[in-house]
Amino acid sequence: MESSYVVKVSSLAARISPPNGSVYAATKSALVSLSNAAHAELSRHGVHVTALLPGFVDTPGTAWADPAVRGAMLPASDLAEAVRFLIRTSARCYVPELMMTTAGPNVLHSLIDWDTAAT
């Protein structure tokens, strides 16, 4: 049986909630839950559903961030490579979620001043 893939881009905030980001974290957690449920429903038909959970990605959507931290963000090409990995796995391989972040301790929280970002 051939497989089809649905990849939903969530956020690392689904697992590591930032201060002042409770609503954002809750919506991203819900997307991961939806992905898991969709996989349970669709996998018998050969459809794999995976949630990507990246930390900060250097895209126009993060243009608000301080330019000094943009160099520490993941390049969008890393997410593309993750999708390529997923579609190259066998039909027997299921990856429910794939967390991606930069190296270092507490990287999700340390890149951004969350008190300033929330205002």
Side-chain angles (χ1 to χ4, degrees):
M1 170 189 274
E2 283 196 37
S3 294
S4 297
Y5 297 86
V6 176
V7 180
K8 298 173 182 278
V9 180
S10 179
S11 170
L12 193 56
R15 297 290 178 253
I16 305 171
S17 302
N20 302 315
S22 58
V23 173
Y24 179 78
T27 61
K28 295 305 181 174
S29 294
L31 183 59
V32 173
S33 182
L34 176 64
S35 295
N36 290 334
H39 181 79
E41 294 172 14
L42 300 172
S43 62
R44 71 182 127 237
H45 304 293
V47 179
H48 293 278
V49 184
T50 299
L52 287 184
L53 286 70
F56 284 106
V57 181
D58 188 7
T59 66
T62 54
W64 54 267
D66 186 322
V69 300
R70 293 188 69 77
M73 293 181 180
L74 296 170
S77 60
D78 284 346
L79 275 67
E81 285 298 322
V83 172
R84 190 156 87 164
F85 157 74
L86 291 168
I87 62 176
R88 289 181 175 197
T89 59
S90 73
R92 295 172 294 197
C93 179
Y94 168 49
V95 180
E97 60 186 56
L98 186 56
M99 294 173 64
M100 304 171 69
T101 190
T102 55
N106 201 16
V107 292
L108 181 64
H109 301 285
S110 63
L111 288 181
I112 301 296
D113 177 354
W114 288 100
D115 290 328
T116 304
T119 58

